[in-house]
Amino acid sequence: MKDFYSLYSAPRENASRSRYFTEERIKEYWKNVDFAWGKIEQGLLEKLNDEQKAFYHNEILPFWDLQSQVKRDRNLKLDNNLIKVWIARRVFDLGYDGKLHGSFDDNRDSYMRSDHAKIERIGKKYQWIAFYEVLGILADNYKIKDRYGSDGKRRFYDGPWDITYRDIDPSFTSRMDREKYPDDDFGIVNEGNDWYMPPKYIHWNKLQRDWAETAADLPNCMDCIERTDNKGEKWLYLSSSHIWKSPKSIGQDSYVYGRKEIWYMFQSFLVPKAKYQKTIKWLLEKEFNGRWLPEAHNVSNLLARERYWSPLSKKYDKEHGLWRTLEDSSIKVMLPAEEATGDLDKDESGAHFGYKIPCKKMFDALELSYADQDGEFRDKKGEILFSNLSPLGCMIKKEALLKFLEDNDLKIVWTLLGEKDAFYRTDGGEDIRKSLSCVFTLENDEVMMKGNLKIKDW
């Protein structure tokens, strides 16, 4: 009966039109449909009592009509005013009371009522609850159309990431201080002495041009890639970024007085052993300024601890795959680490931060799982093999990486994109900026430089 109703309620202006049907035949067809539906409905109503008839007219027919429109992908116009009335009524049903809460809400001035206010009106909190409730009701009964989509198609609601209303990540277990480069009021840059931080740089005491033109005093790249923890275990950065800044004078703003900076960004790539030499040769001919190499990108609205199993993550991985083709070449590489979280612009918890997760191939091969600490991953024995403890980037235990590479016939390659910059600003001198490019790999289980460091003015 429901299927017949769908036929009966279908739009008739275009139905059954073809060169084989005249207008008269189409009218005759729908006259027969109307007659058949009338007989079916009459037979049904004769068997129903008054209460059942009311339910049929008020509930079943409107529901069938809605389903029929959804099935035909019709554009359903909703009355926003009725939705607003529903939300307002729901606020009071949930317990909002002007006598209890009105005084507090009235004392919130217009500035505090802005979208960025961390302390909202009590009434607004009830409104948020009602808003998400009605959002769930609509998602269960209507298809979604992308406002800026070009195809105009509608689709079923897949999850809260569909309409970007995720504004808090409840999966984080703690807040972490992710400040890379704190400095005190006396102008002394505190680079920290944690084991995962690269060696401090001290060669600042040179004139701007002399300093900028010298490459011999650059920080040791191998020491930036490989670090040893407090237990003597070796770790390798799979990706990292670090800046060394010259100490500023007491009382001076670091961006006013002439300054010096060194920036290193390391990226790593997995390549098949059979393609290793070809890949190295190709990379050695390139310079990496412009950040044209493949990089990991986050999945918008992805919460922590959702990577690889959630529908959103699976959809992203299916679209992008494991292998990336290097620009203007046939060489394919795999990123050993992917972004584990997405951006949540409205999250005010202070806990959400971006970190990386081993790529799917590595994650499965090492049989990893999420550890208690956000950004750490453990094996079946509970040992932490992959960590985002460092604010500079993600690290993996060297022993675990070597085993993974050997078991999967892979090699790893790092690229360095860096800068050595001297800024004059106030003295009228011309800024000096040097671009740095280099390639590193593991040979005999040690991090080694391949070729020479390339330095280019820009």
Side-chain angles (χ1 to χ4, degrees):
M1 185 173 180
K2 175 184 175 183
D3 293 337
F4 191 91
Y5 178 81
S6 297
L7 172 64
Y8 172 74
S9 61
R12 304 186 179 190
E13 62 274 11
N14 296 316
S16 305
R17 286 192 184 277
S18 78
R19 59 179 177 162
Y20 301 108
F21 289 89
T22 63
E23 290 290 340
E24 291 74 15
R25 291 194 65 182
I26 292 174
K27 290 179 180 179
E28 181 67 22
Y29 168 81
W30 282 112
K31 181 179 178 180
N32 293 332
V33 170
D34 291 341
F35 177 79
W37 172 252
K39 296 291 288 185
I40 293 173
E41 188 174 42
Q42 181 182 356
L44 172 67
L45 293 175
E46 288 175 353
K47 298 178 181 181
L48 302 180
N49 58 37
D50 291 341
E51 183 180 355
Q52 291 170 333
K53 289 178 182 178
F55 183 78
Y56 171 76
H57 286 293
N58 299 330
E59 300 291 340
I60 293 180
L61 286 183
F63 176 75
W64 282 355
D65 185 58
L66 174 61
Q67 293 300 307
S68 177
Q69 294 182 64
V70 169
K71 186 176 181 180
R72 295 193 304 274
D73 211 22
R74 295 292 300 276
N75 186 19
L76 306 178
K77 295 182 179 179
L78 300 176
D79 189 339
N80 291 338
N81 290 325
L82 292 179
I83 294 176
K84 293 175 182 177
V85 170
W86 187 94
I87 290 175
R89 178 175 178 177
R90 183 63 177 149
V91 165
F92 291 102
D93 289 343
L94 288 168
Y96 183 79
D97 188 337
K99 294 180 180 179
L100 293 175
H101 311 123
S103 177
F104 176 85
D105 285 358
D106 288 342
N107 288 327
R108 307 293 294 165
D109 60 34
S110 59
Y111 172 77
M112 292 182 176
R113 293 184 185 185
S114 70
D115 291 339
H116 303 288
K118 292 188 176 182
I119 301 178
E120 295 179 334
R121 292 177 291 110
I122 297 174
K124 190 174 180 181
K125 293 183 179 297
Y126 280 101
Q127 287 174 296
W128 279 120
I129 296 172
F131 170 79
Y132 284 113
E133 284 187 355
V134 77
L135 190 62
I137 294 171
L138 294 174
D140 287 343
N141 291 279
Y142 294 88
K143 283 185 176 181
I144 296 173
K145 178 184 177 182
D146 291 326
R147 179 179 297 178
Y148 304 107
S150 57
D151 56 12
K153 292 183 178 180
R154 297 165 183 83
R155 55 186 172 79
F156 287 106
Y157 176 77
D158 193 31
W161 51 86
D162 258 344
I163 43 183
T164 63
Y165 273 111
R166 285 180 156 188
D167 56 9
I168 189 171
D169 192 338
S171 55
F172 278 92
T173 60
S174 60
R175 295 184 181 183
M176 294 181 63
D177 182 9
R178 306 298 294 175
E179 178 58 51
K180 282 187 183 183
Y181 315 113
D183 55 89
D184 60 27
D185 293 335
F186 295 99
I188 302 173
V189 177
N190 179 17
E191 294 179 337
N193 55 2
D194 296 302
W195 64 267
Y196 46 76
M197 299 295 286
K200 291 184 178 181
Y201 183 84
I202 60 174
H203 307 290
W204 302 112
N205 193 23
K206 291 182 180 179
L207 297 176
Q208 301 284 89
R209 179 165 295 280
D210 293 341
W211 179 85
E213 298 290 347
T214 302
D217 61 0
L218 286 170
N220 186 295
C221 292
M222 280 71 81
D223 288 341
C224 296
I225 296 175
E226 182 173 325
R227 305 300 300 158
T228 303
D229 67 17
N230 297 328
K231 297 179 180 179
E233 295 188 272
K234 296 183 182 297
W235 293 74
L236 296 171
Y237 275 103
L238 294 181
S239 65
S240 64
S241 175
H242 188 65
I243 296 178
W244 291 266
K245 297 181 180 181
S246 57
K248 64 180 182 180
S249 301
I250 296 176
Q252 287 280 357
D253 186 286
S254 58
Y255 292 97
V256 173
Y257 187 72
R259 70 186 195 281
K260 309 180 184 79
E261 289 182 2
I262 300 173
W263 171 63
Y264 280 179
M265 185 182 78
F266 292 95
Q267 294 185 86
S268 61
F269 305 98
L270 301 175
V271 298
K273 283 185 177 179
K275 304 292 184 180
Y276 170 68
Q277 294 298 339
K278 179 181 178 180
T279 304
I280 289 292
K281 180 180 178 181
W282 189 87
L283 288 172
L284 288 176
E285 296 173 351
K286 304 296 179 181
E287 294 178 351
F288 308 128
N289 56 310
R291 296 185 67 166
W292 53 268
L293 287 168
E295 294 184 29
H297 297 289
N298 65 38
V299 186
S300 181
N301 288 292
L302 185 72
L303 300 187
R305 302 172 186 264
E306 281 191 336
R307 198 64 198 262
Y308 303 140
W309 66 265
S310 71
L312 177 60
S313 179
K314 288 181 178 180
K315 179 181 178 182
Y316 177 87
D317 293 332
K318 183 179 180 180
E319 292 174 351
H320 293 81
L322 279 174
W323 296 94
R324 315 288 177 91
T325 302
L326 295 179
E327 186 176 279
D328 298 327
S329 79
S330 61
I331 298 173
K332 294 184 179 296
V333 297
M334 185 190 304
L335 297 174
E338 297 280 0
E339 294 291 341
T341 67
D343 293 327
L344 292 180
D345 295 336
K346 297 180 180 179
D347 190 317
E348 299 287 351
S349 68
H352 183 89
F353 68 93
Y355 63 84
K356 287 186 169 60
I357 185 174
C359 68
K360 185 69 164 60
K361 188 175 184 67
M362 187 183 295
F363 190 89
D364 292 341
L366 297 178
E367 299 181 273
L368 297 177
S369 62
Y370 288 89
D372 294 339
Q373 180 65 52
D374 297 319
E376 292 190 339
F377 299 86
R378 62 192 175 199
D379 63 10
K380 291 193 301 183
K381 298 179 181 179
E383 182 181 0
I384 303 299
L385 300 185
F386 189 98
S387 176
N388 288 268
L389 173 66
S390 170
L392 306 183
C394 60
M395 302 177 292
I396 186 171
K397 277 193 175 179
K398 185 176 182 179
E399 184 180 0
L401 178 63
L402 291 173
K403 183 179 186 306
F404 167 76
L405 296 174
E406 183 63 30
D407 291 347
N408 293 275
D409 292 323
L410 295 170
K411 298 279 284 184
I412 188 169
V413 177
W414 286 268
T415 58
L416 165 67
L417 168 61
E419 294 180 20
K420 191 175 188 184
D421 303 325
F423 300 96
Y424 282 86
R425 291 296 172 92
T426 55
D427 343 23
E430 183 178 354
D431 294 344
I432 304 171
R433 308 192 70 175
K434 302 286 185 179
S435 172
L436 313 173
S437 300
C438 199
V439 178
F440 302 85
T441 186
L442 280 175
E443 295 199 358
N444 298 321
D445 298 344
E446 298 297 328
V447 180
M448 303 289 292
M449 178 187 291
K450 302 292 289 186
N452 299 313
L453 175 68
K454 293 182 179 180
I455 304 176
K456 180 181 178 181
D457 293 323
W458 71 290

